[in-house]
Every structure is written in C-alpha cells, then in structure tokens.
C-alpha cells in the first residue's frame, strides 16, 4: 500500500493538488483504495508516511490519472473478449493446450470495463479471477469457445480475440483413460479446429474486430499476412520468443497493424497499458473510418 500527496502541477494537480491518494499494487496495476480531497490551497501537514512527490514517474502519474479520472469513452459499447488457452481432451485426464495465461485478454476486459463498456469475457481455463462487472463465460474447448462467441457476436460492437485457440483437437477422445503401453508408443489422430476469428470476421456485421498474432519469427511479415487472411480490422502482433513479454508475462510489447495500412510499434508496457493502447487505437480507427473526410480505402 502506498500513499501519495498530489503536489505536482500535472493535469491532475490542477484539480486535485493537495489530495491524498492511497493505492495498492495488484496484478492488474494500481488499485485505488482511498482518496481524500482537500481544498486546493490547504497546506498538508508533513507526514512521514506520505510520499509527497512520488508522482514524478510518468507511468505512475498516468496510472493514477486513469484511476482518478477514468475515461468513459466506451460507454454504450458492448465488448466481446476471448481469452486464455483452449483445452482439447485426449482422454478424461489428459489434454492438449498451450502456454497462454489469459492475462492479456483479462487486461483488455478490465480496461474496457473501466472505460465504461459492457464486457463479455469468454475464457478458456486460467487461474485468474475474472474482473468484477464482466459477464464471464468459462469454456474448455475451441468448439465451446466458437459456440459462445457466435452466441454473443450479434450484440457486440467491438470483438477482441485474445484467446490462444488450440489449432488441433483429438479426433476421437477416449472415453476412458488410455493405458500406458510403453513399448508401443502412442499416435494421436488430430483434426484441425475451426478458425473462430475467420468465422467471426465473415459474420461480424458492423462490429470492429481485433485479432492477436503470437509469432516467434518474422513478426511483421507474418502478422501482415494474418491481418489479410483473417479479415480483421486490427491485428495485435507480438514476438513470444522474447523473454519477459507475451506468454504468462506481466508485460507485453506489441505492434498494431490495421487494415488501412497503419503500423504502430508500441514500447514494452504492462498488459493493462497495452490493453488501453489497443482500445485507444480501436476508438481512433473507428472515428477516422466514420468521418466523411476519410478517404482511406479498405483492402
Ligand atoms: O492463427 P493464429 O492462431 O496465429 O491466429 C491468432 C488469432 O486467431 C487470435 O486472435 C486467435 O484468437 C484467433 N484464432 C481463432 N481460432 C483458431 C485459431 C486462432 O479464433 N482456431
């Protein structure tokens, strides 16, 4: 738990100069615990337990600004987020899955909720607690996720597919535990899973569709190809071969490619900050696309 007195002449300082802010740090970023506003000119007695000008850190200031003066620019939007891995059964005790933690998708859901959106979070199995306020739809397999996504698609205005969907499933999972026969080996017959993102792109109507691309090499080129192949409006590409970002990490570093040809390399940031940057881009691209002055041609 940290307590700050706002003493800087930031945009916050103008309104909240002298206020005492108590925050604690959680997985999803700073969480506001208490805010004691004071009249602007009132002198605060010096107290040892307050960090007076701890707002010098730019990121901390931004995080505080988000807490104290949250943007409500997604009020009225319905954001559908898919998150986490899928789990494809081999038999009743074994499955095929991947290393997705669900942190990026949950950060998107959290950021969208804070900005005033209604959020439906469809998530494969994770150890995370879903953000309060989201409609939470837990799923196991890609087929479950597809069904849930299609069911909620019609009412969504923004769809963000952060899930790491397993590309294959076992054609015929065994109803009973497969016995270990060490001298024989085991061959699994795999079938491709449906590409949910592609299907959503074909049926999305006016919804704005965001896909993710986790790559280990030639990130830009692979992501640009995926943007076209999947028919999404915005693709969030990240290099999961780099330690400290991507799978199961707290931070992420992504490139945002859009179907109008824009490409933005973002610096390494917390997943919550990446989520806000993605939502900023969605809001910006939609506004530009709807403006009559826009002469951008979609591919
Ligand atoms: O093809 P790849 O898995 O790299 O594509 C990543 C994007 O496509 C993600 O947004 C992911 O949620 C989505 N996807 C999907 N259905 C699949 C595979 C991926 O929706 N079967």
């Amino acid at each position: 738990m940290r307590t700050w007195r706002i003493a800087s002449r930031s945009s916050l300082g103008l309104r909240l100069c002298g206020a005492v802010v108590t925050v604690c740090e959680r997985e999803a970023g700073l969480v506001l615990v208490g805010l004691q506003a004071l009249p602007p000119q009132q002198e605060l007695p010096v107290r040892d337990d307050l960090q007076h000008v701890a707002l010098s850190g730019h990121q901390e200031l931004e995080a505080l600004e988000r807490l104290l003066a949250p943007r409500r620019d997604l009020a009225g939007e319905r954001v559908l987020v898919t998150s986490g891995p899928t789990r494809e059964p081999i038999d009743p005790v074994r499955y095929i899955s991947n290393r997705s933690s669900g942190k990026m998708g949950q950060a998107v859901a959290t950021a969208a909720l804070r900005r005033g959106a209604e959020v439906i979070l469809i998530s494969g199995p994770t150890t995370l607690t879903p953000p309060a306020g989201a409609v939470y739809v837990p799923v196991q397999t890609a087929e479950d996720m597809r069904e849930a996504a299609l069911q909620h698609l019609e009412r969504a205005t923004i769809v963000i597919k952060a899930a790491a969907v397993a590309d294959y499933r076992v054609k015929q999972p065994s109803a009973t535990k497969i016995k270990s026969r060490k001298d024989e080996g085991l061959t699994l017959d795999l079938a491709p899973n449906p590409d949910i993102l592609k299907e959503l792109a074909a049926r999305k109507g006016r919804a704005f569709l965001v896909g993710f691309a986790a790559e280990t090499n030639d990130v830009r080129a692979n992501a640009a190809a995926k943007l076209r192949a999947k028919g999404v409006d915005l693709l969030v590409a990240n290099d999961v071969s780099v330690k400290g970002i991507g799978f199961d990490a707290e931070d992420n570093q992504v490139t945002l490619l859009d179907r109008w040809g824009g490409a933005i390399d973002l610096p390494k940031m917390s997943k919550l900050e990446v989520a806000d940057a993605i939502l900023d881009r969605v809001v910006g691209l939609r506004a530009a696309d709807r403006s009559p002055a826009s002469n951008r041609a979609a591919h």
Side-chain angles (χ1 to χ4, degrees):
M1 193 104 88
R2 288 191 284 165
T3 303
W4 287 319
R5 184 178 91 163
I6 298 178
S8 69
R9 290 206 56 80
S10 64
S11 55
L12 263 184
L14 292 177
R15 280 185 307 109
L16 290 164
C17 192
V20 177
V21 183
T22 309
V23 296
C24 75
E25 264 171 305
R26 296 257 170 81
E27 213 172 77
L30 292 177
V31 176
L32 183 61
V33 176
L35 171 67
Q36 181 195 343
L38 294 170
Q41 300 311 325
Q42 186 175 326
E43 275 294 306
L44 254 193
V46 177
R47 278 171 47 188
D48 291 342
D49 57 337
L50 299 188
Q51 294 174 36
H52 287 268
V53 200
L55 286 179
S56 51
H58 188 64
Q59 287 199 338
E60 288 191 338
L61 180 58
E62 275 183 7
L64 253 188
E65 264 170 338
R66 274 203 303 273
L67 286 177
L68 297 176
R71 274 169 296 170
R72 307 287 295 174
D73 59 346
L74 294 180
E77 302 285 350
R78 199 166 291 113
V79 181
L80 174 59
V81 183
T82 70
S83 182
T86 64
R87 220 176 241 189
E88 313 297 332
I90 296 172
D91 67 17
V93 296
R94 306 179 178 99
Y95 55 81
I96 297 174
S97 192
N98 58 62
R99 291 178 53 206
S100 168
S101 64
K103 286 180 184 165
M104 191 59 241
Q106 288 241 14
V108 171
T110 302
L113 280 166
R114 285 190 189 164
R115 292 167 72 156
E118 239 180 81
V119 173
I120 300 135
L121 174 62
I122 301 172
S123 177
T126 74
T127 56
L128 307 173
T129 309
V135 174
Y136 185 63
V137 185
V139 296
Q140 292 280 324
T141 66
E143 191 47 56
D144 297 343
M145 185 172 278
R146 172 181 173 273
E147 250 177 58
L150 289 175
Q151 192 190 328
H152 290 278
L153 176 66
E154 202 181 312
R155 293 177 67 235
T157 55
I158 299 170
V159 180
I160 303 186
K161 275 223 86 238
V165 184
D167 289 316
Y168 297 94
R169 66 175 185 278
V170 176
K171 247 185 197 164
Q172 271 171 334
S174 170
T176 52
K177 187 179 170 196
I178 299 171
K179 293 275 171 289
S180 160
R181 275 174 248 127
K182 294 199 173 67
D183 46 339
E184 279 178 38
L186 177 69
T187 304
L188 294 174
D189 197 1
L190 301 181
N193 265 330
D195 191 323
I196 307 168
L197 188 54
K198 236 172 145 172
E199 207 169 328
L200 295 186
R203 301 191 187 190
K204 77 187 179 74
R206 292 174 60 80
F208 192 99
L209 184 57
V210 182
F212 275 67
E215 302 290 341
T216 54
N217 58 295
D218 298 327
V219 177
R220 266 287 178 108
N222 287 335
K226 207 164 274 181
L227 175 83
R228 284 189 298 275
K230 302 246 183 187
V232 296
D233 298 304
L234 181 66
L235 194 83
V236 182
N238 71 322
D239 188 341
V240 288
S241 69
V242 180
K243 244 188 140 184
I245 61 170
F247 283 136
D248 208 20
E250 297 308 318
D251 292 333
N252 209 351
Q253 184 170 6
V254 303
T255 300
L256 304 181
L257 302 175
D258 64 70
R259 73 182 174 105
W260 297 273
I264 298 178
D265 287 315
L266 293 173
K268 183 175 166 181
M269 308 190 270
S270 73
K271 287 187 171 171
L272 196 60
E273 285 163 330
V274 171
D276 265 318
I278 294 167
L279 294 171
D280 288 347
R281 194 73 184 132
V282 171
V283 170
L285 286 167
R286 270 201 331 184
D289 195 38
R290 282 178 186 165
S291 112
S294 165
N295 57 3
R296 292 177 313 177
H299 65 80

